[in-house]
Amino acid sequence: MRKRQNCAMHAAFLTRHGSRETDSCLRKTQFHMDLWCCFTLQNWLLDFGRPLVMIFCPLEWFPLNKPSAGDYFHMLYNITTPFLLLKLIERSPKTLPRSAVYLCIITFVMGASIHLVGESISHRLLLSGYQLHLSVRENPIMKNLRPKTLIDSFELLQYYDESLGHCMWYVPLFLILFLYFTGCFTIVKAEKTMPISAWLLLAPSGLYYWYLVTEGQIFILFIFTFFAMMATVVHQKRKGFLPNSNGLFLLYSFSLSLMFLTIWVACLWNDKALRRKYPGVMYIPEPWAIYTLHLRDKHMPLTD
């Protein structure tokens, strides 16, 4: 009797929502442990780890006029991330618009490459005493430049690095994640919980998104994507669909990142030095600004 009731329920969904959409939601999906694990490892190693490598590798190994170890990490990141994003899209139960996916991948690679060049030079300036918690014109090493128009060139470099590069990098990245999330819904109740492997990856994943938002200064993009995901959940729930394990993993990762962001801002709210560079309500200091303000001079000598 119960089996007949389930068949009748599924038939009702097929009639009400259309066979194509419902079939994708009925399709059994497993948690993509291999892809999410690869994402987590490469994000922490190739993205977060590259500035650490640039700072702590001996200069005689990678002279300032040659690509550094961090640059090679960044090049590898620009290859592996689009590959993993494409593999993730391939596993989506829902067929996503190919043109949108291709444009996002192309824009992502171009933006990440622009950022590669800008960040490579920025971290060489860091080794020469550049202070990330100050603006370009307020930096002591910039005040002695001659002619003064060279400062304009460095401001242009910062624009390509922190504004244009970040925009072309993060917007398509979050758009692809959101498009994938829209296909992560099911009416199979057994799939609405996450496996243990997903819970183990949740903390490093959420912490990485915190780093991405603070380092890239993309809180508006992040919170807009998070609200869009929440709105999608409400909309799909009215139709009887629930997020599967992959959808829950993304949603919980973003939720955890939001909690980390709240703690981060609360701890640094009264820092007057950081307030000069990050004024206003959108006060989210970069982690590397904390490094140059409070840590660098205590742990490593500046080069001449």
Side-chain angles (χ1 to χ4, degrees), residues 103-201:
L103 286 174
C104 285
I105 294 294
I106 293 169
T107 307
F108 171 87
V109 173
M110 185 174 180
S113 299
I114 292 174
H115 181 67
L116 187 159
V117 177
E119 189 179 61
S120 177
I121 298 175
S122 296
H123 279 87
R124 279 158 178 74
L125 293 175
L126 189 66
L127 295 173
S128 301
Y130 188 83
Q131 300 178 32
L132 291 175
H133 60 280
L134 298 176
S135 67
V136 175
R137 292 188 178 273
E138 291 178 336
N139 261 269
I141 66 172
M142 294 293 173
K143 293 181 178 180
N144 296 324
L145 285 179
R146 295 292 183 274
K148 285 290 186 181
T149 52
L150 284 176
I151 300 179
D152 296 330
S153 299
F154 280 102
E155 285 186 328
L156 177 62
L157 175 68
Q158 186 185 48
Y159 170 77
Y160 274 109
D161 179 16
E162 297 187 0
S163 298
L164 184 62
H166 279 175
C167 181
M168 295 180 66
W169 176 4
Y170 293 130
V171 170
L173 174 63
F174 279 81
L175 181 57
I176 288 180
L177 291 176
F178 175 72
L179 288 175
Y180 171 79
F181 179 79
T182 60
C184 295
F185 289 86
T186 180
I187 63 173
V188 182
K189 294 183 179 180
E191 293 186 18
K192 68 178 183 179
T193 57
M194 295 197 307
I196 296 177
S197 57
W199 289 106
L200 293 176
L201 288 176

Side-chain angles (χ1 to χ4, degrees), residues 54-259:
M54 296 176 80
I55 291 172
F56 294 107
C57 274
L59 288 179
E60 55 268 20
W61 292 4
F62 300 96
L64 294 181
N65 61 343
K66 302 292 182 182
S68 69
D71 294 337
Y72 292 116
F73 276 37
H74 203 159
M75 294 175 195
L76 187 58
Y77 175 88
N78 291 0
I79 297 173
T80 58
T81 304
F83 175 77
L84 291 175
L85 289 173
L86 288 173
K87 297 301 291 185
L88 189 66
I89 291 298
E90 287 178 2
R91 296 193 189 182
S92 173
K94 178 181 178 181
T95 301
L96 301 175
R98 291 187 177 182
S99 297
V101 172
Y102 293 159
L103 286 174
C104 285
I105 294 294
I106 293 169
T107 307
F108 171 87
V109 173
M110 185 174 180
S113 299
I114 292 174
H115 181 67
L116 187 159
V117 177
E119 189 179 61
S120 177
I121 298 175
S122 296
H123 279 87
R124 279 158 178 74
L125 293 175
L126 189 66
L127 295 173
S128 301
Y130 188 83
Q131 300 178 32
L132 291 175
H133 60 280
L134 298 176
S135 67
V136 175
R137 292 188 178 273
E138 291 178 336
N139 261 269
I141 66 172
M142 294 293 173
K143 293 181 178 180
N144 296 324
L145 285 179
R146 295 292 183 274
K148 285 290 186 181
T149 52
L150 284 176
I151 300 179
D152 296 330
S153 299
F154 280 102
E155 285 186 328
L156 177 62
L157 175 68
Q158 186 185 48
Y159 170 77
Y160 274 109
D161 179 16
E162 297 187 0
S163 298
L164 184 62
H166 279 175
C167 181
M168 295 180 66
W169 176 4
Y170 293 130
V171 170
L173 174 63
F174 279 81
L175 181 57
I176 288 180
L177 291 176
F178 175 72
L179 288 175
Y180 171 79
F181 179 79
T182 60
C184 295
F185 289 86
T186 180
I187 63 173
V188 182
K189 294 183 179 180
E191 293 186 18
K192 68 178 183 179
T193 57
M194 295 197 307
I196 296 177
S197 57
W199 289 106
L200 293 176
L201 288 176
L202 186 61
S205 177
L207 193 60
Y208 174 73
Y209 286 121
W210 160 83
Y211 170 75
L212 209 62
V213 173
T214 54
E215 192 273 337
Q217 294 292 289
I218 53 167
F219 178 76
I220 297 296
L221 174 62
F222 169 79
I223 201 65
F224 179 82
T225 306
F226 179 71
F227 285 154
M229 292 168 66
M230 294 296 296
T232 303
V233 171
V234 173
H235 175 69
Q236 293 289 353
K237 191 174 182 180
R238 291 177 180 175
K239 298 166 65 177
F241 299 142
L242 299 171
N244 61 22
S245 57
N246 295 289
L248 287 174
F249 178 74
L250 267 177
L251 189 63
Y252 290 168
S253 295
F254 274 54
S255 301
L256 190 60
S257 298
L258 189 59
M259 183 186 72

